[in-house]
């Protein structure tokens, strides 16, 4: 009954005209950036953070959330029709979705992706609503020691689950932690690592850092690519799957939803990991493994359900514990901070309309995306025919205006440009920049809770293992390190890295 009351409050907030408009805007923008190469939810949310200054907190978060899960829908459209993954989590969809389009089944592939995503998003949002209250009650039992241990687990999880080299993932986390130290010391008020540059006394701005690493760097990389791709816009007919299609796709959607919902909660998990894991699971459990890579409908249904479920459940650690589980959620922390909202369990009690309004808006957003996704296919693919050399100057200009408007200083634009060059080098070295952003956001929070714990315990480090909850989290972190250090796991990880 309590859950129904909470959802009633949420829907009364989300169904206001203003919030409905921003949910629609977020979904359309999310689909658009999922379609277009060179942009992703990270870069777009970073660009739009300054705009949220002028918006009410609920509307701002509803719009940014819509961009995130909307990108999962948009990425599948071009993955199927153009063999171009507009978003990283849609890479797997190209394997079978594009082959289905080549066989004249583009409509069925798109309907499968849309229906699977809608079901998975709806179930994952229900999971978020059901677990929000008990997890928030648990979070109130967390002291500074528990929060520090939880963040250690989060960073180690991000390293373990990050793609590519383990050493590079660790290096990126550490670099993010070090960048997070720049600014004014929380306890003493003394500027550190600022090199007498006044703009650095407040630290590096998250908007400039994220914009450079993900926006500018992605644009530079895309400018290097010169590819002509075959599209299938004229063959999008027969959208409704057959009885045999439903028979094969329903189990895949259910498995993808369950897997994505679980992996989305994990630190460093998110949509990309979920889609790859779901594809591997479908290939192993399918009665038609020989069809994978040649147009198997399970290869579309499983990953598309998983990535959308993960996009929704990744909000669970943010809203209940105040800990971002991936780089996009780290930017959501920035958006909440802009509006003086402290992420964590107190949001549910201090601002219940925001908390439950955001959750309810996810159902509305998923329904909106199903209605909008198929009719707008023609428009999205026409946008892809615009030469990228005409798109990138407009994108860069918008990025620079957005970065400048945060603090009205050119220094932030220079920071974004420098981070763009560094991000480009990272991509060339095949270093994943997402762990860096996670380390940058969690670093100051970790330091603050670490020092607060030692102040309360008068310098006794045993407090971290004397408190049962803190000890359990540290043991879980140690177990993750032990697992990833196993020779078989290391060998498989290196093999996957070489394939990339």
């Amino acid at each position: 009954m309590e859950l129904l009351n909470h959802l009633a409050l949420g829907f009364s907030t989300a169904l206001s005209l203003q919030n409905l408009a921003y949910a629609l805007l977020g979904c359309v923008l999310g689909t658009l950036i999922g379609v277009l190469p060179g942009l992703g939810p990270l870069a777009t949310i970073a660009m739009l953070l300054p705009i949220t200054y002028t918006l009410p907190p609920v509307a701002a978060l509803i719009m940014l959330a819509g961009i995130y899960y909307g990108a999962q829908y948009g990425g599948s459209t071009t993955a199927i029709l153009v063999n171009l993954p507009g978003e990283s989590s849609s890479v797997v969809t190209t394997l079978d979705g594009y082959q289905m389009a080549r066989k004249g089944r583009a409509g069925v592939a798109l309907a499968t992706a849309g229906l699977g995503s809608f079901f998975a998003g709806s179930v994952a949002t229900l999971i978020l609503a059901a677990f929000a209250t008990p997890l928030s009650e648990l979070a109130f039992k967390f002291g500074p020691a528990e929060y520090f241990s939880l963040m250690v687990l989060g960073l180690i999880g991000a390293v373990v689950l990050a793609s590519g080299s383990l050493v590079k993932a660790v290096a990126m986390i550490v670099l993010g932690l070090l960048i997070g130290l720049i600014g004014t010391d929380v306890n003493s008020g003394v500027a550190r690592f600022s090199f007498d540059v006044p703009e650095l006394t407040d630290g590096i701005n998250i908007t400039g850092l994220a914009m450079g690493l993900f926006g500018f760097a992605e644009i530079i990389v895309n400018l290097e690519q010169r590819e002509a791709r075959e599209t299938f816009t004229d063959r999008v007919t027969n959208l409704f799957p057959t009885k045999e299609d439903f028979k094969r796709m329903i189990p895949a959607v259910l498995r993808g939803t369950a897997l994505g919902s679980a992996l989305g909660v994990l630190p460093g998990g998110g949509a990309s990991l979920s889609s790859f894991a779901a594809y591997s699971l479908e290939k192993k459990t399918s009665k038609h493994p020989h069809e994978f890579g040649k147009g198997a409908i399970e290869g579309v249904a499983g990953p598309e359900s998983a990535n959308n479920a993960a996009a929704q459940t990744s909000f669970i650690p943010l809203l209940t514990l105040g800990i971002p589980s991936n780089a996009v959620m780290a930017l959501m922390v920035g958006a909440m901070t802009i509006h003086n909202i402290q992420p964590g369990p107190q949001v549910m009690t201090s601002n219940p309309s925001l908390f439950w309004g955001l959750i309810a808006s996810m159902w509305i957003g998923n329904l909106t995306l199903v209605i909008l996704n198929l009719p707008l296919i023609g428009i999205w693919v026409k946008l892809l025919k615009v030469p990228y050399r005409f798109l990138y100057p407009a994108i860069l200009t918008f990025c620079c205006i957005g970065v400048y408007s945060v603090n009205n200083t050119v220094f932030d634009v220079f920071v974004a440009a420098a981070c763009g060059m560094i991000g480009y080098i990272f991509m060339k070295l095949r270093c994943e920049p997402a762990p860096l952003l996670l380390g940058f956001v969690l670093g100051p929070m970790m330091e603050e809770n670490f020092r607060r714990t030692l102040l309360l315990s008068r310098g006794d480090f045993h407090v971290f293992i004397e408190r049962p909850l803190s000890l359990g989290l540290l043991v879980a972190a140690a177990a993750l390190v032990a697992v990833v250090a196993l020779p078989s796991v290391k060998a498989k990880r290196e093999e996957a890295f070489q394939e990339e």
Side-chain angles (χ1 to χ4, degrees):
M1 184 60 70
E2 185 182 13
L3 177 60
L4 292 177
N5 292 333
H6 287 152
L7 290 177
L9 172 63
F11 277 107
S12 67
T13 302
L15 288 172
S16 71
L17 285 177
Q18 183 186 50
N19 291 334
L20 275 175
Y22 282 108
L24 176 63
L25 178 62
C27 290
V28 172
L29 282 175
T31 306
L32 174 62
I33 60 109
V35 167
L36 288 175
L39 285 175
L42 267 171
T44 307
I45 290 173
M47 279 192 290
L48 294 176
L49 274 182
I51 296 175
T52 63
Y53 276 117
T54 59
L55 298 181
V58 181
L61 292 176
I62 283 175
M63 182 183 73
L64 294 178
I67 289 170
Y68 181 38
Y69 56 78
Q72 317 308 322
Y73 279 78
S76 66
T77 300
T78 43
I80 292 167
L81 296 178
V82 196
N83 198 25
L84 178 70
E87 215 276 319
S88 60
S89 62
S90 300
V91 173
V92 179
T93 309
T94 61
L95 300 176
D96 285 285
Y98 185 65
Q99 295 303 320
M100 287 181 70
R102 289 179 66 88
K103 294 177 180 178
R105 306 195 74 215
V108 174
L110 289 166
T112 300
L115 293 172
S117 295
F118 173 69
F119 175 80
S122 300
V123 171
T125 307
L126 182 62
I127 292 171
L128 170 57
F131 283 92
T133 302
L135 281 175
S136 294
E137 290 173 358
L138 174 65
F140 280 116
K141 298 179 181 178
F142 276 48
E146 287 78 11
Y147 269 110
F148 172 79
S149 301
L150 179 64
M151 290 173 200
V152 170
L153 175 62
L155 290 180
I156 290 176
V159 169
V160 171
L161 296 174
S163 60
S165 166
L166 181 64
V167 175
K168 290 178 180 178
V170 172
M172 297 303 282
I173 286 279
V174 172
L175 182 58
L177 292 172
L178 292 174
I179 295 174
L181 292 176
I182 297 172
T184 303
D185 184 278
V186 179
N187 290 348
S188 66
V190 176
R192 57 187 183 184
F193 307 114
S194 61
F195 304 102
D196 294 326
V197 178
E199 290 86 354
L200 288 179
T201 54
D202 286 334
I204 299 289
N205 188 281
I206 187 174
T207 308
L209 180 72
M211 189 76 70
L213 289 177
F214 298 97
F216 289 12
E218 193 72 34
I219 289 169
I220 298 170
V221 169
N222 274 279
L223 287 173
E224 293 182 341
Q225 300 174 359
R226 296 181 180 178
E227 299 180 48
R229 297 179 185 270
E230 184 183 10
T231 61
F232 291 92
T233 50
D234 297 331
R235 304 186 196 177
V236 183
T237 55
N238 301 324
L239 291 173
F240 202 72
T242 64
K243 186 178 179 181
E244 178 62 24
D245 289 332
F246 274 115
K247 187 178 178 181
R248 291 178 59 173
M249 66 182 271
I250 288 174
V253 167
L254 294 174
R255 286 190 292 265
T257 301
L259 187 62
S261 298
L263 292 179
V265 181
L266 297 179
S272 298
L273 174 71
S274 301
S275 61
F276 278 95
Y279 189 81
S280 299
L281 177 64
E282 290 309 313
K283 202 170 182 180
K284 289 177 182 176
T285 57
S286 176
K287 297 177 181 177
H288 315 278
H290 60 281
E291 291 184 19
F292 278 76
K294 299 176 183 177
I297 195 169
E298 297 94 333
V300 175
E304 284 299 315
S305 302
N307 68 36
N308 210 267
Q312 314 283 336
T313 57
S314 60
F315 281 87
I316 291 176
L318 174 69
L319 293 176
T320 58
L321 301 173
I323 306 297
S325 59
N326 54 50
V328 175
M329 292 301 107
L331 285 180
M332 293 295 286
V333 170
M336 296 177 83
T337 306
I338 283 173
H339 292 281
N340 295 318
I341 300 169
Q342 181 63 39
Q346 63 271 22
V347 175
M348 184 183 290
T349 53
S350 64
N351 201 339
S353 60
L354 181 145
F355 186 94
W356 293 104
L358 178 60
I359 291 175
S361 75
M362 294 180 185
W363 265 309
I364 297 167
N366 274 285
L367 181 60
T368 303
L369 283 165
V370 169
I371 296 169
L372 288 178
N373 207 31
L374 297 177
L376 294 179
I377 288 168
I379 296 174
W380 302 138
V381 178
K382 282 178 183 176
L383 279 173
L384 284 168
K385 295 178 181 178
V386 177
Y388 194 67
R389 64 181 181 273
F390 297 138
L391 287 175
Y392 86 85
I395 296 170
L396 276 177
T397 303
F398 188 56
C399 286
C400 291
I401 293 171
V403 173
Y404 176 82
S405 63
V406 174
N407 295 316
N408 293 325
T409 171
V410 179
F411 180 80
D412 287 346
V413 180
F414 288 133
V415 168
C419 290
M421 294 305 298
I422 294 169
Y424 174 71
I425 294 169
F426 285 157
M427 289 184 177
K428 286 296 179 183
L429 295 175
R430 302 177 78 182
C431 294
E432 182 71 37
L436 186 152
L437 186 64
L438 207 58
F440 173 76
V441 172
L442 288 180
M445 298 164 67
M446 278 183 68
E447 181 195 11
E448 183 181 348
N449 283 287
F450 178 73
R451 293 172 71 172
R452 189 180 296 168
T453 303
L454 292 182
L455 281 172
L456 292 172
S457 66
R458 298 183 180 180
D460 185 6
F461 284 88
H462 290 96
V463 67
F464 291 106
I465 58 175
E466 287 173 351
R467 297 175 70 93
L469 198 51
S470 175
L471 176 62
L473 292 167
L474 291 175
V475 168
L480 276 178
V481 173
V483 169
V484 81
L486 291 172
S488 58
V489 176
K490 284 179 69 177
K492 187 170 286 189
R493 187 185 180 108
E494 288 300 321
E495 181 184 342
F497 179 58
Q498 293 300 325
E499 288 176 359
E500 289 178 2

